[in-house]
Amino acid sequence: DVKVTQSSRYLVKRTGEKVFLECVQDMDHENMFWYRQDPGLGLRLIYFSYDVKMKEKGDIPEGYSVSREKKERFSLILESASTNQTSMYLCASNSGGVINSPLHFGNGTRLTVT
Amino acid sequence: EDQVTQSPEALRLQEGESSSLNCSYTVSGLRGLFWYRQDPGKGPEFLFTLYSAGEEKEKERLKATLTKKESFLHITAPKPEDSATYLCAVQTAQGGSEKLVFGKGTKLTVNP
């Protein structure tokens, strides 16, 4: 079974802090994704990566950056956290070699910025 | 603009009361449609992929169907453990790039 592990279930940070969200997958997947999920807005793609050191902007990249130094690890960085970044953050991965490969999600990090 | 709409937003059923959830889409170049289940405090869990109109997939009490404009998730004789939010997502291909568009989900509650 694919396992996508997010390092923290809950985080509370102050406005202006630099925040790191970590995600690790154990299935050798090429593709990794970061989403945020908000009530009434659904899942929105922040960034994704097709390969080590590669990154692509999603629909809402402003205020975020990412890092993928190893195939299994994808980090989301909030350079200067703001209250409107309070949200549930979901990491996902899938196989790049399989057409329509379904996403496998972690259990999320609920981030509160005060 | 690619759009995926799920209805109803919330559905409350009695145990054993069968019903359907709807996912309608307007996208260019459908590559596939996915159904996910999400329990509170957890990430979405993959259920089905449908590729073309007429296709059906089944798993326990769930059956997913696909037409050219919408997909249905039929729940037969639901149990309380089927309570969850069900998400639909459509994979599109446009201009050489692929995109996954999610609906906002249907929150299903099954009362014993």
Short mmCIF file of all heavy atoms in Angstrom, two decimals, chain A residues 37-86:
data_model
loop_
_atom_site.label_atom_id
_atom_site.label_comp_id
_atom_site.label_asym_id
_atom_site.label_seq_id
_atom_site.Cartn_x
_atom_site.Cartn_y
_atom_site.Cartn_z
N GLN A 37 -7.00 22.77 1.26
CA GLN A 37 -8.43 22.47 1.24
C GLN A 37 -9.12 23.39 2.22
O GLN A 37 -8.81 23.40 3.42
CB GLN A 37 -8.67 21.01 1.62
CG GLN A 37 -10.11 20.57 1.49
CD GLN A 37 -10.28 19.08 1.73
OE1 GLN A 37 -9.58 18.49 2.55
NE2 GLN A 37 -11.21 18.45 1.01
N ASP A 38 -10.07 24.17 1.72
CA ASP A 38 -10.82 25.12 2.52
C ASP A 38 -12.31 24.89 2.33
O ASP A 38 -12.74 24.58 1.20
CB ASP A 38 -10.46 26.55 2.13
CG ASP A 38 -8.98 26.84 2.30
OD1 ASP A 38 -8.56 26.98 3.47
OD2 ASP A 38 -8.25 26.91 1.29
N PRO A 39 -13.10 25.05 3.39
CA PRO A 39 -14.56 24.87 3.27
C PRO A 39 -15.13 25.76 2.18
O PRO A 39 -14.82 26.96 2.11
CB PRO A 39 -15.06 25.28 4.66
CG PRO A 39 -13.91 25.08 5.57
CD PRO A 39 -12.69 25.40 4.76
N GLY A 40 -15.94 25.19 1.33
CA GLY A 40 -16.59 25.96 0.28
C GLY A 40 -15.73 26.20 -0.95
O GLY A 40 -16.23 26.63 -1.99
N LEU A 41 -14.43 25.95 -0.85
CA LEU A 41 -13.52 26.17 -1.98
C LEU A 41 -12.95 24.87 -2.53
O LEU A 41 -12.38 24.85 -3.63
CB LEU A 41 -12.38 27.09 -1.57
CG LEU A 41 -12.77 28.51 -1.18
CD1 LEU A 41 -11.54 29.30 -0.73
CD2 LEU A 41 -13.45 29.23 -2.35
N GLY A 42 -13.05 23.82 -1.77
CA GLY A 42 -12.55 22.53 -2.24
C GLY A 42 -11.04 22.46 -2.24
O GLY A 42 -10.35 23.22 -1.55
N LEU A 43 -10.51 21.56 -3.03
CA LEU A 43 -9.07 21.34 -3.13
C LEU A 43 -8.48 22.25 -4.21
O LEU A 43 -8.97 22.26 -5.35
CB LEU A 43 -8.78 19.89 -3.51
CG LEU A 43 -8.83 18.88 -2.38
CD1 LEU A 43 -9.15 17.51 -2.90
CD2 LEU A 43 -7.51 18.86 -1.64
N ARG A 44 -7.44 22.96 -3.85
CA ARG A 44 -6.76 23.83 -4.82
C ARG A 44 -5.28 23.50 -4.85
O ARG A 44 -4.65 23.37 -3.80
CB ARG A 44 -6.98 25.30 -4.44
CG ARG A 44 -8.43 25.76 -4.59
CD ARG A 44 -8.59 27.22 -4.22
NE ARG A 44 -8.41 27.44 -2.78
CZ ARG A 44 -8.24 28.64 -2.24
NH1 ARG A 44 -8.23 29.72 -2.99
NH2 ARG A 44 -8.09 28.76 -0.94
N LEU A 45 -4.76 23.39 -6.06
CA LEU A 45 -3.37 22.98 -6.24
C LEU A 45 -2.43 24.16 -6.05
O LEU A 45 -2.58 25.20 -6.70
CB LEU A 45 -3.20 22.39 -7.64
CG LEU A 45 -1.81 21.89 -8.01
CD1 LEU A 45 -1.39 20.73 -7.12
CD2 LEU A 45 -1.78 21.47 -9.48
N ILE A 46 -1.44 23.97 -5.19
CA ILE A 46 -0.47 25.03 -4.91
C ILE A 46 0.76 24.87 -5.82
O ILE A 46 1.12 25.78 -6.57
CB ILE A 46 -0.03 25.01 -3.44
CG1 ILE A 46 -1.24 25.08 -2.51
CG2 ILE A 46 0.92 26.17 -3.14
CD1 ILE A 46 -0.91 24.84 -1.05
N TYR A 47 1.42 23.73 -5.73
CA TYR A 47 2.61 23.41 -6.52
C TYR A 47 2.64 21.91 -6.78
O TYR A 47 2.06 21.13 -6.02
CB TYR A 47 3.90 23.78 -5.75
CG TYR A 47 4.47 25.13 -6.03
CD1 TYR A 47 4.19 26.20 -5.19
CD2 TYR A 47 5.32 25.34 -7.11
CE1 TYR A 47 4.74 27.46 -5.43
CE2 TYR A 47 5.88 26.60 -7.36
CZ TYR A 47 5.57 27.64 -6.50
OH TYR A 47 6.13 28.89 -6.73
N PHE A 48 3.36 21.53 -7.82
CA PHE A 48 3.62 20.12 -8.03
C PHE A 48 5.01 19.92 -8.61
O PHE A 48 5.66 20.89 -9.05
CB PHE A 48 2.55 19.46 -8.90
CG PHE A 48 2.40 20.05 -10.28
CD1 PHE A 48 2.94 19.41 -11.38
CD2 PHE A 48 1.66 21.21 -10.49
CE1 PHE A 48 2.77 19.93 -12.64
CE2 PHE A 48 1.48 21.73 -11.75
CZ PHE A 48 2.04 21.09 -12.84
N SER A 49 5.44 18.67 -8.60
CA SER A 49 6.80 18.35 -9.04
C SER A 49 6.78 17.04 -9.80
O SER A 49 6.21 16.04 -9.32
CB SER A 49 7.73 18.24 -7.83
OG SER A 49 8.97 17.68 -8.21
N TYR A 50 7.40 17.03 -10.98
CA TYR A 50 7.48 15.82 -11.79
C TYR A 50 8.77 15.03 -11.56
O TYR A 50 8.89 13.90 -12.00
CB TYR A 50 7.42 16.15 -13.28
CG TYR A 50 6.05 16.60 -13.75
CD1 TYR A 50 5.92 17.74 -14.53
CD2 TYR A 50 4.92 15.88 -13.43
CE1 TYR A 50 4.66 18.15 -14.96
CE2 TYR A 50 3.67 16.27 -13.86
CZ TYR A 50 3.55 17.41 -14.63
OH TYR A 50 2.31 17.82 -15.06
N ASP A 51 9.71 15.66 -10.89
CA ASP A 51 11.00 14.99 -10.75
C ASP A 51 11.80 15.75 -9.70
O ASP A 51 11.48 16.89 -9.35
CB ASP A 51 11.73 14.96 -12.09
CG ASP A 51 12.79 13.88 -12.17
OD1 ASP A 51 13.10 13.25 -11.12
OD2 ASP A 51 13.31 13.64 -13.27
N VAL A 52 12.87 15.13 -9.28
CA VAL A 52 13.76 15.78 -8.32
C VAL A 52 14.21 17.12 -8.88
O VAL A 52 14.56 17.23 -10.06
CB VAL A 52 14.97 14.88 -8.01
CG1 VAL A 52 15.97 15.59 -7.11
CG2 VAL A 52 14.50 13.58 -7.36
N LYS A 53 14.17 18.12 -8.04
CA LYS A 53 14.58 19.50 -8.36
C LYS A 53 13.69 20.18 -9.40
O LYS A 53 13.99 21.30 -9.82
CB LYS A 53 16.04 19.55 -8.80
CG LYS A 53 17.01 19.09 -7.72
CD LYS A 53 18.43 19.46 -8.07
CE LYS A 53 19.41 18.88 -7.04
NZ LYS A 53 19.22 19.51 -5.72
N MET A 54 12.62 19.53 -9.82
CA MET A 54 11.68 20.15 -10.74
C MET A 54 10.46 20.62 -9.97
O MET A 54 10.00 19.93 -9.04
CB MET A 54 11.24 19.16 -11.83
CG MET A 54 12.38 18.57 -12.62
SD MET A 54 13.22 19.78 -13.64
CE MET A 54 12.01 20.01 -14.92
N LYS A 55 9.90 21.76 -10.36
CA LYS A 55 8.68 22.23 -9.73
C LYS A 55 7.87 23.03 -10.74
O LYS A 55 8.44 23.66 -11.64
CB LYS A 55 9.00 23.09 -8.51
CG LYS A 55 9.81 24.32 -8.81
CD LYS A 55 10.16 25.06 -7.54
CE LYS A 55 11.02 26.28 -7.85
NZ LYS A 55 11.46 26.98 -6.63
N GLU A 56 6.56 22.98 -10.55
CA GLU A 56 5.66 23.71 -11.42
C GLU A 56 4.61 24.39 -10.55
O GLU A 56 4.13 23.80 -9.57
CB GLU A 56 4.93 22.76 -12.39
CG GLU A 56 5.83 22.01 -13.35
CD GLU A 56 6.25 22.86 -14.52
OE1 GLU A 56 5.62 23.92 -14.74
OE2 GLU A 56 7.20 22.46 -15.23
N LYS A 57 4.24 25.61 -10.92
CA LYS A 57 3.20 26.31 -10.18
C LYS A 57 1.84 25.69 -10.46
O LYS A 57 1.55 25.30 -11.59
CB LYS A 57 3.18 27.78 -10.58
CG LYS A 57 4.41 28.54 -10.10
CD LYS A 57 4.34 29.99 -10.53
CE LYS A 57 5.59 30.74 -10.04
NZ LYS A 57 5.56 32.17 -10.46
N GLY A 58 1.03 25.65 -9.42
CA GLY A 58 -0.35 25.24 -9.58
C GLY A 58 -1.24 26.46 -9.74
O GLY A 58 -0.83 27.48 -10.31
N ASP A 59 -2.43 26.37 -9.18
CA ASP A 59 -3.41 27.45 -9.35
C ASP A 59 -3.22 28.60 -8.37
O ASP A 59 -3.60 29.73 -8.66
CB ASP A 59 -4.83 26.89 -9.20
CG ASP A 59 -5.13 25.84 -10.25
OD1 ASP A 59 -4.74 26.06 -11.42
OD2 ASP A 59 -5.72 24.80 -9.92
N ILE A 60 -2.64 28.32 -7.21
CA ILE A 60 -2.52 29.36 -6.17
C ILE A 60 -1.12 29.34 -5.54
O ILE A 60 -0.96 29.13 -4.35
CB ILE A 60 -3.61 29.19 -5.07
CG1 ILE A 60 -3.63 27.77 -4.52
CG2 ILE A 60 -4.98 29.58 -5.60
CD1 ILE A 60 -4.34 27.64 -3.20
N PRO A 61 -0.06 29.62 -6.31
CA PRO A 61 1.29 29.51 -5.76
C PRO A 61 1.76 30.72 -4.93
O PRO A 61 2.77 30.63 -4.24
CB PRO A 61 2.14 29.41 -7.03
CG PRO A 61 1.36 30.20 -8.04
CD PRO A 61 -0.09 29.97 -7.72
N GLU A 62 1.01 31.80 -4.98
CA GLU A 62 1.48 33.03 -4.33
C GLU A 62 1.63 32.83 -2.82
O GLU A 62 0.73 32.34 -2.15
CB GLU A 62 0.49 34.18 -4.60
CG GLU A 62 0.35 34.56 -6.06
CD GLU A 62 -0.56 33.63 -6.84
OE1 GLU A 62 -1.34 32.87 -6.22
OE2 GLU A 62 -0.46 33.63 -8.09
N GLY A 63 2.78 33.22 -2.32
CA GLY A 63 3.06 33.11 -0.88
C GLY A 63 3.67 31.79 -0.47
O GLY A 63 3.97 31.58 0.71
N TYR A 64 3.86 30.89 -1.47
CA TYR A 64 4.41 29.57 -1.19
C TYR A 64 5.63 29.30 -2.08
O TYR A 64 5.76 29.86 -3.16
CB TYR A 64 3.37 28.48 -1.48
CG TYR A 64 2.09 28.60 -0.74
CD1 TYR A 64 1.00 29.24 -1.32
CD2 TYR A 64 1.93 28.06 0.54
CE1 TYR A 64 -0.21 29.35 -0.64
CE2 TYR A 64 0.73 28.17 1.22
CZ TYR A 64 -0.33 28.81 0.61
OH TYR A 64 -1.53 28.91 1.29
N SER A 65 6.49 28.41 -1.60
CA SER A 65 7.53 27.84 -2.45
C SER A 65 7.66 26.37 -2.08
O SER A 65 7.06 25.92 -1.10
CB SER A 65 8.87 28.57 -2.28
OG SER A 65 9.33 28.43 -0.94
N VAL A 66 8.41 25.62 -2.88
CA VAL A 66 8.55 24.18 -2.63
C VAL A 66 10.00 23.79 -2.85
O VAL A 66 10.79 24.51 -3.47
CB VAL A 66 7.64 23.32 -3.54
CG1 VAL A 66 6.18 23.47 -3.16
CG2 VAL A 66 7.88 23.66 -5.01
N SER A 67 10.31 22.60 -2.33
CA SER A 67 11.64 22.04 -2.51
C SER A 67 11.51 20.54 -2.68
O SER A 67 10.79 19.88 -1.92
CB SER A 67 12.51 22.35 -1.29
OG SER A 67 13.73 21.67 -1.36
N ARG A 68 12.22 20.03 -3.69
CA ARG A 68 12.27 18.57 -3.87
C ARG A 68 13.72 18.18 -4.18
O ARG A 68 14.14 18.13 -5.31
CB ARG A 68 11.34 18.11 -4.99
CG ARG A 68 11.14 16.60 -4.94
CD ARG A 68 9.98 16.16 -5.72
NE ARG A 68 9.81 14.72 -5.68
CZ ARG A 68 9.16 14.03 -6.60
NH1 ARG A 68 8.65 14.67 -7.65
NH2 ARG A 68 9.04 12.73 -6.48
N GLU A 69 14.43 17.87 -3.11
CA GLU A 69 15.84 17.49 -3.21
C GLU A 69 16.01 15.99 -3.38
O GLU A 69 17.01 15.52 -3.92
CB GLU A 69 16.60 17.98 -1.97
CG GLU A 69 16.63 19.49 -1.85
CD GLU A 69 17.38 20.14 -3.00
OE1 GLU A 69 18.44 19.62 -3.41
OE2 GLU A 69 16.89 21.17 -3.51
N LYS A 70 15.03 15.22 -2.89
CA LYS A 70 15.05 13.76 -3.04
C LYS A 70 13.71 13.32 -3.59
O LYS A 70 12.68 13.98 -3.37
CB LYS A 70 15.30 13.08 -1.68
CG LYS A 70 16.68 13.32 -1.12
CD LYS A 70 16.90 12.51 0.14
CE LYS A 70 18.32 12.71 0.66
NZ LYS A 70 18.58 11.89 1.87
N LYS A 71 13.71 12.21 -4.29
CA LYS A 71 12.50 11.75 -4.97
C LYS A 71 11.35 11.53 -4.00
O LYS A 71 10.19 11.80 -4.32
CB LYS A 71 12.80 10.45 -5.73
CG LYS A 71 11.69 10.02 -6.66
CD LYS A 71 12.11 8.81 -7.45
CE LYS A 71 11.06 8.43 -8.49
NZ LYS A 71 11.45 7.26 -9.28
N GLU A 72 11.63 11.05 -2.82
CA GLU A 72 10.56 10.68 -1.91
C GLU A 72 10.05 11.84 -1.06
O GLU A 72 9.07 11.69 -0.35
CB GLU A 72 11.04 9.56 -0.98
CG GLU A 72 12.13 9.95 0.01
CD GLU A 72 13.53 9.76 -0.54
OE1 GLU A 72 13.68 9.67 -1.78
OE2 GLU A 72 14.47 9.69 0.29
N ARG A 73 10.70 12.98 -1.12
CA ARG A 73 10.37 14.07 -0.19
C ARG A 73 10.03 15.35 -0.94
O ARG A 73 10.75 15.79 -1.83
CB ARG A 73 11.57 14.31 0.73
CG ARG A 73 11.32 15.27 1.87
CD ARG A 73 12.58 15.40 2.73
NE ARG A 73 12.90 14.13 3.37
CZ ARG A 73 12.47 13.76 4.56
NH1 ARG A 73 11.68 14.55 5.26
NH2 ARG A 73 12.82 12.59 5.07
N PHE A 74 8.92 15.97 -0.51
CA PHE A 74 8.46 17.22 -1.13
C PHE A 74 8.04 18.16 -0.02
O PHE A 74 7.17 17.84 0.78
CB PHE A 74 7.28 16.89 -2.06
CG PHE A 74 6.89 17.98 -3.02
CD1 PHE A 74 7.84 18.84 -3.57
CD2 PHE A 74 5.57 18.14 -3.42
CE1 PHE A 74 7.47 19.82 -4.49
CE2 PHE A 74 5.20 19.11 -4.33
CZ PHE A 74 6.14 19.94 -4.86
N SER A 75 8.70 19.30 0.02
CA SER A 75 8.45 20.25 1.11
C SER A 75 7.71 21.48 0.60
O SER A 75 8.02 21.98 -0.48
CB SER A 75 9.78 20.69 1.74
OG SER A 75 10.51 19.57 2.20
N LEU A 76 6.79 21.95 1.40
CA LEU A 76 6.08 23.20 1.11
C LEU A 76 6.56 24.24 2.10
O LEU A 76 6.62 23.97 3.31
CB LEU A 76 4.57 23.00 1.24
CG LEU A 76 3.70 24.23 0.98
CD1 LEU A 76 3.74 24.61 -0.51
CD2 LEU A 76 2.26 23.97 1.41
N ILE A 77 6.89 25.42 1.60
CA ILE A 77 7.46 26.47 2.44
C ILE A 77 6.58 27.71 2.35
O ILE A 77 6.24 28.16 1.25
CB ILE A 77 8.89 26.81 1.99
CG1 ILE A 77 9.75 25.54 2.03
CG2 ILE A 77 9.49 27.89 2.89
CD1 ILE A 77 10.89 25.55 1.06
N LEU A 78 6.20 28.20 3.51
CA LEU A 78 5.51 29.48 3.58
C LEU A 78 6.56 30.49 4.05
O LEU A 78 7.03 30.44 5.19
CB LEU A 78 4.35 29.44 4.58
CG LEU A 78 3.09 28.68 4.17
CD1 LEU A 78 3.32 27.18 4.03
CD2 LEU A 78 1.96 28.95 5.16
N GLU A 79 6.99 31.36 3.16
CA GLU A 79 8.11 32.24 3.44
C GLU A 79 7.81 33.19 4.60
O GLU A 79 8.66 33.44 5.44
CB GLU A 79 8.47 33.04 2.19
CG GLU A 79 8.96 32.18 1.02
CD GLU A 79 10.33 31.58 1.27
OE1 GLU A 79 11.07 32.08 2.16
OE2 GLU A 79 10.69 30.60 0.59
N SER A 80 6.61 33.69 4.65
CA SER A 80 6.20 34.60 5.72
C SER A 80 4.70 34.37 5.94
O SER A 80 3.88 34.92 5.22
CB SER A 80 6.48 36.05 5.31
OG SER A 80 6.02 36.94 6.32
N ALA A 81 4.39 33.53 6.92
CA ALA A 81 3.01 33.08 7.08
C ALA A 81 2.06 34.24 7.33
O ALA A 81 2.38 35.19 8.05
CB ALA A 81 2.94 32.08 8.23
N SER A 82 0.87 34.12 6.74
CA SER A 82 -0.17 35.11 6.97
C SER A 82 -1.45 34.40 7.38
O SER A 82 -1.61 33.19 7.14
CB SER A 82 -0.41 35.95 5.71
OG SER A 82 -0.88 35.12 4.67
N THR A 83 -2.36 35.15 7.99
CA THR A 83 -3.57 34.51 8.53
C THR A 83 -4.41 33.87 7.42
O THR A 83 -5.11 32.88 7.67
CB THR A 83 -4.42 35.53 9.30
OG1 THR A 83 -4.68 36.66 8.46
CG2 THR A 83 -3.69 36.01 10.56
N ASN A 84 -4.33 34.40 6.20
CA ASN A 84 -5.14 33.80 5.13
C ASN A 84 -4.52 32.50 4.60
O ASN A 84 -5.07 31.88 3.67
CB ASN A 84 -5.37 34.79 3.98
CG ASN A 84 -4.10 35.23 3.30
OD1 ASN A 84 -3.03 34.64 3.49
ND2 ASN A 84 -4.19 36.27 2.48
N GLN A 85 -3.43 32.07 5.20
CA GLN A 85 -2.86 30.77 4.87
C GLN A 85 -3.26 29.70 5.90
O GLN A 85 -2.80 28.56 5.81
CB GLN A 85 -1.34 30.85 4.75
CG GLN A 85 -0.91 31.67 3.55
CD GLN A 85 0.59 31.82 3.42
OE1 GLN A 85 1.28 32.20 4.37
NE2 GLN A 85 1.12 31.55 2.23
N THR A 86 -4.09 30.08 6.82
CA THR A 86 -4.70 29.10 7.72
C THR A 86 -5.56 28.16 6.89
O THR A 86 -6.48 28.60 6.19
CB THR A 86 -5.55 29.80 8.80
OG1 THR A 86 -4.69 30.53 9.68
CG2 THR A 86 -6.38 28.80 9.59
#
